[in-house]
């Protein structure tokens, strides 16, 4: 019988400290900010949604949509034409705490050190503000026993191979399980979210927002990744955890000290 497996074990040995996470609710402050991107380009943007300061990480509208930039200048003294100026559309919240253990191409925090899913979502480029919000209708969710993924209804080895490819390419950006309620975000051509419940090795009520009504590669990728994490770290039946893809974690901790427990 063909077996599925996810066995990437990158070397993760750097040691660092992570900033304490404090949720802050800010009043928006109208401003024009200059944003520098990774390739060195700098452009001004109009900000009407956040109280931005130098050093904040943001996503913007326009030709650099989807790229994370850093605010390098802020002014509240301006008169600009809306014909020429694009907007800051999201602010990434990279304030968090905890210790992390490497598992495959994730780093994982546990119990009271987990990062809220709502915060993790800010690390990913937001949906285009011009796009209409999707509306979903749900039927019965899938059920998967992580000890025997191949026996799940609708399982297909070709789709499982595609799921492993998603994992190895780092498309599963994070998997979060809090008090038995799980959510994962997959970013490939588009963003898909998989919701599920987890009790021990049983995933139930599994739903994916992709176009496929079948047991899709996104669901299988989350199942395979979750099993790898549980088995490697001996996650307890009622234990919460957050798994973050290593490149995304590196972006989140850029220019800060981070702690990874090996």
């Amino acid at each position: 019988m063909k077996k599925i497996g996810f066995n990437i074990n990158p070397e993760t040995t750097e040691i660092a400290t992570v900033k304490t996470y404090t949720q802050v609710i800010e009043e928006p402050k109208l401003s024009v900010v200059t944003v520098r991107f990774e390739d060195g380009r700098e452009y001004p943007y109009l900000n009407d949604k956040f109280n931005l300061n130098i050093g904040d990480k943001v996503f913007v509208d326009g030709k650099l949509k989807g790229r994370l930039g850093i605010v390098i200048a802020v002014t509240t003294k301006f008169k600009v034409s809306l014909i020429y100026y694009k907007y800051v559309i999201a602010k990434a919240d990279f304030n968090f705490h905890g210790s992390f253990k490497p598992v495959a191409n994730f780093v994982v925090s546990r119990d009271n050190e987990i990062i809220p899913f709502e915060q993790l979502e800010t690390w990913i480029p937001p949906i285009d503000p011009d796009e209409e919000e999707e509306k979903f209708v749900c039927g019965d969710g899938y059920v998967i026993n992580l000890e025997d993924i191949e026996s799940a209804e609708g399982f297909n080895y070709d789709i499982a191979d595609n799921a492993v490819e998603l994992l190895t390419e780092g498309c599963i950006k994070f998997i979060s399980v809090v008090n038995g309620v799980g959510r994962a975000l997959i970013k490939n051509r588009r963003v898909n979210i998989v919701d599920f419940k987890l009790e021990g090795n049983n995933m139930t009520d599994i739903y994916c927002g992709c176009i496929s009504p079948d047991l899709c590669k996104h669901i299988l990728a989350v199942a395979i990744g979750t099993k790898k994490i549980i088995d490697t770290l001996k996650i307890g039946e009622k234990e919460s955890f957050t798994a973050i893809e290593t490149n995304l974690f590196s972006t989140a901790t850029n220019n800060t000290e981070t702690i990874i427990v090996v």
Side-chain angles (χ1 to χ4, degrees), residues 38-139:
E38 192 175 33
D39 59 7
R41 285 184 285 179
E42 300 174 2
Y43 297 104
Y45 292 88
L46 185 60
N47 161 58
D48 63 354
K49 294 183 173 65
F50 311 97
N51 182 4
L52 293 178
N53 297 289
I54 293 173
D56 286 338
K57 304 288 183 63
V58 296
F59 294 102
V60 300
D61 199 9
K63 61 183 179 181
L64 292 177
K65 179 175 62 179
R67 297 192 184 184
L68 188 67
I70 182 169
V71 176
I72 62 169
V74 180
T75 181
T76 57
K77 297 176 174 62
F78 60 87
K79 178 181 179 181
V80 298
S81 170
L82 297 181
I83 296 175
Y84 301 110
Y85 271 69
K86 297 297 183 181
Y87 285 84
V88 172
I89 58 174
K91 178 182 177 183
D93 182 357
F94 288 133
N95 294 300
F96 61 96
H97 73 282
S99 56
F100 299 82
K101 290 191 175 183
V103 178
N105 59 351
F106 294 103
V107 292
V108 182
S109 59
R110 305 168 71 163
D111 279 344
N112 61 345
E113 295 185 331
I114 60 174
I115 301 174
F117 181 82
E118 293 75 16
Q119 182 183 6
L120 291 170
E121 278 191 306
T122 71
W123 301 6
I124 303 296
I127 296 172
D128 190 325
D130 294 329
E131 289 184 10
E132 185 177 349
E133 184 177 353
E134 286 185 279
K135 297 179 181 178
F136 296 97
V137 176
C138 297

Side-chain angles (χ1 to χ4, degrees), residues 229-244:
I229 292 161
I230 289 175
D231 289 351
T232 302
L233 297 182
K234 310 299 181 188
I235 300 288
E237 185 170 330
K238 295 184 178 180
E239 189 173 356
S240 299
F241 67 87
T242 297
I244 305 166

Side-chain angles (χ1 to χ4, degrees), residues 126-168:
I127 296 172
D128 190 325
D130 294 329
E131 289 184 10
E132 185 177 349
E133 184 177 353
E134 286 185 279
K135 297 179 181 178
F136 296 97
V137 176
C138 297
D140 296 328
Y142 279 96
V143 175
I144 296 177
N145 182 340
L146 297 181
E147 292 297 320
D148 188 11
I149 294 176
E150 293 95 329
S151 69
E153 181 182 353
F155 179 86
N156 177 286
Y157 279 109
D158 290 333
I159 295 176
D161 287 342
N162 292 335
V164 171
E165 188 175 337
L166 285 178
L167 282 160
T168 57

Side-chain angles (χ1 to χ4, degrees), residues 15-16 19 51 60 74 76 92 102 150 165 172 175 195 197 199 202 215 230 235 239 241 247 251:
I15 300 227
K19 294 186 290 185
N51 182 4
V60 300
V74 180
T76 57
E150 293 95 329
E165 188 175 337
I172 312 301
I175 303 172
D195 291 297
K197 293 180 180 177
E199 185 173 349
N202 292 310
L215 187 63
I230 289 175
I235 300 288
E239 189 173 356
F241 67 87
N247 288 330
T251 298

Side-chain angles (χ1 to χ4, degrees), residues 7-28:
N7 296 308
I8 294 183
N9 288 291
E11 294 182 4
T12 313
T13 56
E14 64 264 31
I15 300 227
T17 13
V18 208
K19 294 186 290 185
T20 301
Y21 171 65
T22 306
Q23 187 175 13
V24 178
I25 300 175
E26 301 176 329
E27 287 294 328

Side-chain angles (χ1 to χ4, degrees), residues 148-246:
D148 188 11
I149 294 176
E150 293 95 329
S151 69
E153 181 182 353
F155 179 86
N156 177 286
Y157 279 109
D158 290 333
I159 295 176
D161 287 342
N162 292 335
V164 171
E165 188 175 337
L166 285 178
L167 282 160
T168 57
E169 291 182 353
C171 296
I172 312 301
K173 295 304 177 182
F174 40 80
I175 303 172
S176 172
V177 177
V178 181
N179 298 325
V181 178
R183 178 169 278 196
L185 188 146
I186 302 94
K187 186 175 185 297
N188 193 7
R189 295 184 188 89
R190 54 163 290 168
V191 171
N192 288 291
I193 292 177
V194 172
D195 291 297
F196 59 95
K197 293 180 180 177
L198 181 67
E199 185 173 349
N201 280 300
N202 292 310
M203 291 178 68
T204 63
D205 301 300
I206 312 171
Y207 297 95
C208 178
C210 76
I211 196 169
S212 172
D214 303 317
L215 187 63
C216 65
K217 61 184 180 181
H218 308 109
I219 289 176
L220 285 177
V222 173
I224 296 166
T226 300
K227 175 174 172 53
K228 180 72 174 177
I229 292 161
I230 289 175
D231 289 351
T232 302
L233 297 182
K234 310 299 181 188
I235 300 288
E237 185 170 330
K238 295 184 178 180
E239 189 173 356
S240 299
F241 67 87
T242 297
I244 305 166
E245 188 266 330
T246 51

